[in-house]
Amino acid sequence: MEEQKKFEVTMNTVNSLNSQAKDLFNKKKYTKAIKNYQQSMSVLRISQPQNETEESKVKKLKIAVFVNLAVCYYKINKPRYVINMCENLDHLIDIETHCKALFYYGRAYEMLGKREEALKYYNKALKLEPKNKEIGKALVDFERYIQESAKKEKEMWQTAFKSTPQKKKIVYDVDVNFQNDVRDMCQNLAGSDEYAKFELPTGLTKNEVDCIKALASEFEGLIVDENGEGRRKTVSIIKKA
């Protein structure tokens, strides 16, 4: 531990770990690279710089390690860890001045589906480096994704509305008061918890019977029973128990 605190030993250890982590990253072994960067950060945290120059070097290395960790976590789809690394950076520097950190903030928020936050950080990063191709491409891809998502959502809703059967409004050739009386009767019967039967008067027309059947079908548990023919035909509305 005491040896590790010595600045020269610290630098050699950190540079070695970072170099190994970089090689692992290039081989797409991101999880192993993360472990090396974490060890590097542990060494940096226990270091004891003796002057401003040493403090500056340690700070610079910490910034690099946090940024590299953010990139690694992005590669293994852990956006919250990316944000955590960027927040750690914010304690060391004004993150608004660090293009790469802002860019990966945007990456993380995009992965979390927080579009407005993602766009905000992408634009901040682009403002610092207007000619950065990676940021420019990310913004183009992001805008394309939003447009395609909006298009798909629109198509989905259009399909849903098309597939939803539209109820045809039926106009009955009967007296309005007759319709209202039948509807009220059906409502009263449907509200009963017990078996009930209501016999309608004989001599109903075909239109009136059709109207009764249609209105009764709107209420759960009601059926229309017909007996006989012609003027002797009886019609009853029955509420099943």
Side-chain angles (χ1 to χ4, degrees), residues 83-192:
I83 292 172
N84 183 252
M85 293 303 105
C86 291
E87 288 172 344
N88 281 317
L89 264 176
D90 213 9
H91 294 301
L92 292 172
I93 56 170
D94 179 4
I95 204 166
E96 299 290 330
T97 64
H98 198 291
C99 178
K100 197 168 185 177
L102 291 171
F103 177 68
Y104 277 94
Y105 247 138
R107 284 292 205 200
Y109 281 119
E110 183 178 354
M111 290 173 74
L112 291 169
K114 297 183 178 181
R115 297 176 182 175
E116 290 184 6
E117 286 294 307
L119 190 60
K120 179 180 75 174
Y121 282 104
Y122 281 151
N123 284 326
K124 285 183 178 182
L126 190 65
K127 190 175 181 180
L128 293 177
E129 294 185 17
K131 295 181 180 180
N132 189 305
K133 292 182 180 179
E134 188 179 10
I135 301 171
K137 183 179 182 303
L139 273 169
V140 170
D141 291 343
F142 184 70
E143 291 293 344
R144 185 183 296 118
Y145 169 77
I146 291 175
Q147 289 173 6
E148 289 177 355
S149 296
K151 184 180 177 182
K152 286 179 181 178
E153 186 176 357
K154 183 179 179 181
E155 290 173 351
M156 181 186 71
W157 282 111
Q158 286 176 339
T159 303
F161 283 127
K162 284 179 182 177
S163 61
T164 303
Q166 298 294 318
K167 287 187 177 181
K168 187 178 179 181
K169 188 175 181 180
I170 302 172
V171 178
Y172 304 106
D173 187 17
V174 295
D175 182 72
V176 174
N177 290 331
F178 177 85
Q179 290 185 50
N180 292 336
D181 290 342
V182 172
R183 185 176 282 106
D184 290 342
M185 179 177 55
C186 289
Q187 192 168 2
N188 290 333
L189 284 172
S192 173

Side-chain angles (χ1 to χ4, degrees), residues 189 192-197 238-241:
L189 284 172
S192 173
D193 294 329
E194 300 177 352
Y195 173 87
K197 181 178 180 181
I238 301 171
K239 168 65 169 70
K240 294 184 291 184

Side-chain angles (χ1 to χ4, degrees), residues 73-74 77-84 107-109 111-112:
Y73 282 125
Y74 169 74
N77 298 316
K78 289 193 173 182
R80 297 193 185 281
Y81 284 75
V82 176
I83 292 172
N84 183 252
R107 284 292 205 200
Y109 281 119
M111 290 173 74
L112 291 169

Side-chain angles (χ1 to χ4, degrees), residues 10-38:
T10 297
M11 291 300 100
N12 289 337
T13 304
V14 169
N15 288 331
S16 175
L17 287 166
N18 288 352
S19 178
Q20 291 172 34
K22 186 176 179 181
D23 288 339
L24 290 166
F25 182 90
N26 291 334
K27 293 175 183 177
K28 297 184 179 181
K29 296 180 179 180
Y30 305 121
T31 303
K32 289 183 178 181
I34 287 170
K35 288 181 180 178
N36 274 53
Y37 281 129
Q38 287 173 335

